[in-house]
Amino acid sequence: MEWEGQQQDASQETCLLRRVSNFREKRFGYGKFYTFLPILLRLFYCIMKKKVIHFGVFALLFCITTSAQEVENQLKEVVISDSKFALAKEKSGKVIVKITADELAKKPGQSIASILSTVVGVEINGNQSSGGKNLGTYIRGGRNHQTLIIIDGVPVTDASGVNLEYDLRYVSAEQVESIEVMKGAASTLYGSGAATGVINITLKKASKKDLTGNTYFSLGTQTTADNVNYRPQDFNQGVSLNGTIGKINYLAMFNSIETKGISEAQGNNFETDQFSKISALMKIGFKPNTKFSFDFFTNFDKIKNNYDGFYDNFTSADTPLNVAKTQQFRFGFSPKYKYKNGELVLNSGFSINERNYTSLNTWSNSIDNSSYISKSVTIDAFNKYNFSNQFFLILGTQFQFNEMDSQAELIAKQNAKFNWFDTYATVVYNSDFGLNINAGARYDKHSIYNNYSVYNFNPSYSISNIDLKLIASYSTAYITPSLYQLFSPYGNLDLTPEKNNTIELGFEKDLLNKKIQFNTVCFYREENNSIGFYTDPVTFASNYVNSDGSYNAKGVESMVSFVATNNLKFKANYTFTEVEEPLKRLIPKHKANVSIDYDYSDKVTFNLSYQYVDFRKDVFFDGGTYQTVPVQLDSYQLLNAMINFKIIKNRFNLFASVNNILNANFTENIGYSTRGRNFKIGINILF
């Protein structure tokens, strides 16, 4: 049978190629901002004059660091992803990459997708395209639905999506305090979807002062490598207020983004495409005493962009504009109670997601309207009990409910719903002689398919006298079928969960009093029961089915960091991923990142970064032959630079950046354009 699981899996838009593909334009007048352009260009003139020298230094550094390999972790750092509670990083049996608040502060003007794409083992496809392009998250040969996104302890998803994935474009980098990326199967602790990795996002918290805040604004260019236009066409602005008054703390944030300038579709005959987003977040906390706290959150996000119909074959500039509107509304609460031997936590969230598409039907020359609406509820209650300073137990129960409807595809919410109830337990043991153990199990009871169970065992051993830690793990995971895969016209109620098994072996090593830190992890992942899209070659009937066989992915992930002086730091990472044929789409075999951070003074910092992405395989649907055609995308290299200025006692900050300095012309995803050399400048005022 012809297996199309990987070809149909990247996103809702990819699965429904006949309805949605690319995005188009809505015009705004920004002539008053053009006066900023000379300032921006003069700021980068010196950088551009010496780009060849910088590139040569980078190439040399890359060769040295990737042969030694790398790490970005600080041993005194605290992580939460592998136990749901704060744990010293040296006692964790996982190599968890943590992007701290300080690191995020040095990356102003960047999106969450572009920041995550520099993490070892992570590929965020679409982050180099225009803002309207849907994003694909690939970790260890997995796809979107195998990576779980968590925001402040609450799993997030769009229950109407083909793969229950979450749109990372909703999250503004300005809202984020820190990010942890934990790779490997983690369903024991987090349930469905945590098969290849967990991206754990922690939003900013209120300050302890009565009132603090900041406002920021940035403008930049939006141009491709072969159609240069350096007018400002990328605008990002926002404001934040937060503080603590007595026993109540609060945080309110608002962000707005507007971009145009390039067409989402690759080619020369297209008008520019418009993308806009508004985002509002409110958090309120109440802490009556040292034992009890109660936190409430609500946020609203809305995205609007234009797209081309697939059957336009990316050739007509005169096609009427098509409009896509997506939005989410989330709210929830999280009470916590600390007692003598532990802590009890309840994380809950409720979300409504809506996607609407207005598109041209080229067959009937009419306008089609389609919408997808979903509701999700998640409640996760768990307790940590400390038997001693070295041993604690986590017991938890999690309830989730998903519902969707779509009139366009005759999916009724009365039918398209399911729920599942999980119970889980994890034990953590940290000895005083270096041995650490994290082990657990979870039992899943689902309203549609049969019950399912997963488990993990993760030992590690630290040898303190030589600053070496050895790690190993074996874990299993599951991914529940989505509502669309079960109840759509292509659905199949006989689907069962995908299964994943992952083995990891690795080490962490420090040298020169921790000035050099590096780690390497080898992994092997086996995927069974994969859900894919199958078309009968005789009847052309299509539906979702579980695969008969198993597929595997294996690879190596390495990181190294070197603190040369108090002012100069080097970081690099390298990822090797080898996957079997059905899983290869858009996954590079080799990927590397190198960065240099230089603090010229306490007020001026400079960053230079390099990224290499290897060849990838992709497919496109040929509207003339009705065939899925495989293609190979060339490798590409990107060189970026950023400078930050802290002015007026660190209350007025200015940054400027240039991305893709060498103006590389490359393809990230077949049929979609990518950004060339682009400039950005911005300010952040704190009060």
Side-chain angles (χ1 to χ4, degrees):
M1 107 179 165
E2 183 183 356
W3 185 248
E4 302 177 12
Q6 178 66 9
Q7 298 171 2
Q8 298 288 338
D9 193 61
S11 67
Q12 176 78 11
E13 289 77 37
T14 304
C15 280
L16 306 177
L17 286 175
R18 301 189 181 188
R19 280 192 297 277
V20 180
S21 173
N22 258 340
F23 296 76
R24 283 217 107 63
E25 159 190 64
K26 179 180 177 183
R27 289 180 167 81
F28 287 86
Y30 292 112
K32 63 182 179 180
F33 296 113
Y34 291 172
T35 55
F36 284 88
L37 184 57
I39 299 173
L40 180 66
L41 295 179
R42 288 176 67 88
L43 188 58
F44 288 105
Y45 177 72
C46 294
I47 297 174
M48 295 303 298
K49 280 175 55 179
K50 298 184 179 180
K51 65 183 180 182
V52 176
I53 297 175
H54 288 159
F55 185 80
V57 173
F58 247 37
L60 178 61
L61 175 65
F62 173 76
C63 294
I64 295 173
T65 53
T66 53
S67 63
Q69 315 308 330
E70 174 229 82
V71 89
E72 290 167 343
N73 64 310
Q74 304 296 327
L75 286 182
K76 297 301 182 182
E77 207 167 15
V78 172
V79 295
I80 60 174
S81 294
D82 64 343
S83 66
K84 290 191 175 183
F85 291 93
L87 183 68
K89 196 166 186 178
E90 67 266 24
K91 297 183 181 298
S92 171
K94 290 279 192 178
V95 175
I96 298 174
V97 178
K98 184 170 183 178
I99 305 171
T100 65
D102 289 339
E103 291 172 320
L104 288 171
K106 294 180 180 180
K107 302 177 185 292
Q110 295 192 34
S111 67
I112 290 296
S114 63
I115 293 171
L116 285 172
S117 194
T118 63
V119 172
V120 63
V122 179
E123 171 68 11
I124 308 293
N125 180 268
N127 82 93
Q128 299 294 339
S129 301
S130 66
K133 172 72 171 65
N134 55 284
L135 300 173
T137 304
Y138 302 90
I139 297 177
R140 293 188 170 179
R143 287 88 68 203
N144 284 23
H145 70 291
Q146 294 169 323
T147 299
L148 184 66
I149 310 295
I150 297 173
I151 299 178
D152 280 348
V154 179
V156 289
T157 186
D158 178 0
S160 69
V162 171
N163 301 299
L164 293 176
E165 63 197 45
Y166 184 74
D167 192 342
L168 277 173
R169 296 177 302 171
Y170 282 141
V171 184
S172 299
E174 293 80 9
Q175 298 175 341
V176 177
E177 175 74 19
S178 65
I179 305 172
E180 291 183 10
V181 180
M182 182 176 69
K183 284 152 289 180
S187 283
T188 298
L189 204 57
Y190 292 103
S192 176
T196 61
V198 173
I199 299 175
N200 195 345
I201 299 173
T202 300
L203 301 181
K204 289 183 176 179
K205 298 177 175 60
S207 72
K208 297 186 182 301
K209 297 181 180 180
D210 290 347
L211 174 64
T212 61
N214 73 297
T215 182
Y216 56 89
F217 170 76
S218 68
L219 62 88
T221 62
Q222 186 82 343
T223 184
T224 60
D226 56 358
N227 188 16
V228 176
N229 179 359
Y230 287 136
R231 293 183 302 172
Q233 299 185 95
D234 179 359
F235 305 90
N236 181 9
Q237 49 274 320
V239 63
S240 166
L241 296 172
N242 64 92
T244 301
I245 302 175
K247 298 179 180 180
I248 297 176
N249 60 77
Y250 64 93
L251 180 145
M253 306 185 75
F254 177 81
N255 173 257
S256 173
I257 298 174
E258 302 89 27
T259 65
K260 63 174 184 176
I262 64 176
S263 169
E264 183 113 15
Q266 196 173 43
N268 297 318
N269 300 319
F270 297 96
E271 71 272 21
T272 60
D273 293 337
Q274 172 68 33
F275 168 83
S276 63
K277 187 191 82 166
I278 59 172
S279 178
L281 170 68
M282 170 67 78
K283 297 173 67 175
I284 298 176
F286 175 62
K287 192 172 183 179
N289 52 53
T290 58
K291 293 184 177 180
F292 182 77
S293 64
F294 185 93
D295 297 300
F296 171 84
F297 75 87
T298 181
N299 72 276
F300 175 78
D301 306 279
K302 185 175 182 178
I303 294 174
K304 181 180 179 181
N305 49 267
N306 308 106
Y307 64 91
D308 295 309
F310 182 79
Y311 286 114
D312 297 337
N313 289 327
F314 306 115
T315 59
S316 174
D318 299 322
T319 302
L321 298 180
N322 304 318
V323 180
K325 297 179 181 178
T326 64
Q327 64 182 39
Q328 71 162 357
F329 172 70
R330 298 177 59 240
F331 70 87
F333 58 92
S334 178
K336 300 179 178 68
Y337 176 70
K338 293 183 178 181
Y339 56 97
K340 181 179 179 180
N341 290 327
E343 184 176 0
L344 176 64
V345 179
L346 188 149
N347 288 330
S348 66
F350 174 84
S351 66
I352 300 175
N353 286 267
E354 184 173 354
R355 292 177 288 114
N356 294 282
Y357 303 100
T358 302
S359 59
L360 173 71
N361 187 326
T362 57
W363 295 108
S364 61
N365 199 29
S366 61
I367 298 296
D368 289 341
N369 293 287
S370 58
S371 64
Y372 302 84
I373 303 174
S374 68
K375 297 179 181 178
S376 298
V377 178
T378 178
I379 301 173
D380 186 14
F382 50 96
N383 180 73
K384 173 188 177 183
Y385 186 83
N386 298 304
F387 291 95
S388 68
N389 292 332
Q390 298 175 324
F391 178 66
F392 63 87
L393 170 68
I394 300 169
L395 293 175
T397 61
Q398 184 175 16
F399 171 80
Q400 296 186 73
F401 169 82
N402 287 340
E403 171 188 280
M404 76 164 289
D405 70 86
S406 172
Q407 294 182 357
E409 300 205 44
L410 303 178
I411 304 174
K413 64 181 180 180
Q414 292 82 0
N415 301 321
K417 62 178 66 176
F418 58 52
N419 63 77
W420 64 100
F421 184 82
D422 295 2
T423 57
Y424 59 94
T426 293
V427 294
V428 177
Y429 172 66
N430 302 127
S431 73
D432 54 7
F433 58 88
L435 177 65
N436 305 298
I437 295 177
N438 183 312
R442 174 182 285 249
Y443 180 74
D444 166 56
K445 183 176 178 61
H446 200 278
S447 62
I448 299 294
Y449 56 79
N450 293 331
N451 303 332
Y452 195 70
S453 60
V454 292
Y455 59 93
N456 80 288
F457 181 67
N458 176 205
S460 63
Y461 186 75
S462 298
I463 307 174
S464 59
N465 60 332
I466 58 174
D467 288 325
L468 175 68
K469 182 169 72 171
L470 305 176
I471 61 175
S473 71
Y474 178 76
S475 51
T476 62
Y478 72 100
I479 305 100
T480 183
S482 69
L483 290 168
Y484 189 90
Q485 291 167 341
L486 291 169
F487 296 101
S488 75
Y490 313 104
N492 180 0
L493 289 174
D494 292 327
L495 291 175
T496 56
E498 291 186 8
K499 303 175 182 179
N500 270 249
N501 306 299
T502 301
I503 299 174
E504 293 179 312
L505 294 171
F507 67 90
E508 294 183 344
K509 174 64 178 167
D510 296 339
L511 296 169
L512 301 178
N513 292 324
K514 301 179 182 178
K515 288 186 176 182
I516 299 177
Q517 300 178 329
F518 63 93
N519 66 44
T520 296
V521 175
C522 302
F523 69 88
Y524 177 86
R525 182 177 68 87
E526 186 176 79
E527 182 177 319
N528 295 278
N529 231 26
S530 300
I531 299 174
F533 194 77
Y534 171 70
T535 301
D536 190 291
V538 178
T539 65
F540 296 103
S542 301
N543 68 332
Y544 290 95
V545 298
N546 290 108
S547 66
D548 296 327
S550 64
Y551 310 104
N552 66 69
K554 53 191 175 184
V556 178
E557 299 165 349
S558 294
M559 302 183 294
V560 62
S561 66
F562 172 45
V563 181
T565 67
N566 291 334
N567 298 329
L568 184 62
K569 299 177 182 178
F570 301 89
K571 291 183 179 180
N573 63 60
Y574 167 74
T575 305
F576 169 81
T577 308
E578 181 70 60
V579 295
E580 289 192 301
E581 189 63 36
L583 309 180
K584 282 188 176 181
R585 185 184 173 197
L586 298 175
I587 299 173
K589 189 172 185 179
H590 304 279
K591 184 177 179 181
N593 294 279
V594 182
S595 70
I596 301 174
D597 288 294
Y598 177 64
D599 297 339
Y600 178 76
S601 68
D602 58 352
K603 293 184 178 181
V604 181
T605 62
F606 178 75
N607 172 266
L608 197 63
S609 64
Y610 167 85
Q611 183 176 79
Y612 170 80
V613 179
D614 199 19
F615 300 97
R616 290 135 293 126
K617 289 191 174 183
D618 201 357
V619 297
F620 71 93
F621 182 77
D622 191 324
T625 63
Y626 298 97
Q627 298 294 317
T628 300
V629 182
V631 294
Q632 178 170 284
L633 306 180
D634 291 337
S635 63
Y636 64 89
Q637 304 176 64
L638 299 175
L639 186 63
N640 309 312
M642 175 175 290
I643 189 167
N644 291 279
F645 301 92
K646 296 180 180 180
I647 307 171
I648 311 177
K649 296 182 179 180
N650 295 336
R651 292 191 175 275
F652 184 92
N653 299 330
L654 171 69
F655 81 89
S657 65
V658 55
N659 293 320
N660 194 358
I661 294 175
L662 303 181
N663 203 33
N665 194 351
F666 62 98
T667 299
E668 187 182 27
N669 207 169
I670 189 68
Y672 293 86
S673 63
T674 53
R675 294 190 292 269
R677 181 189 300 118
N678 281 280
F679 304 92
K680 182 173 287 190
I681 190 168
I683 59 173
N684 184 13
I685 302 173
L686 292 83
F687 55 87

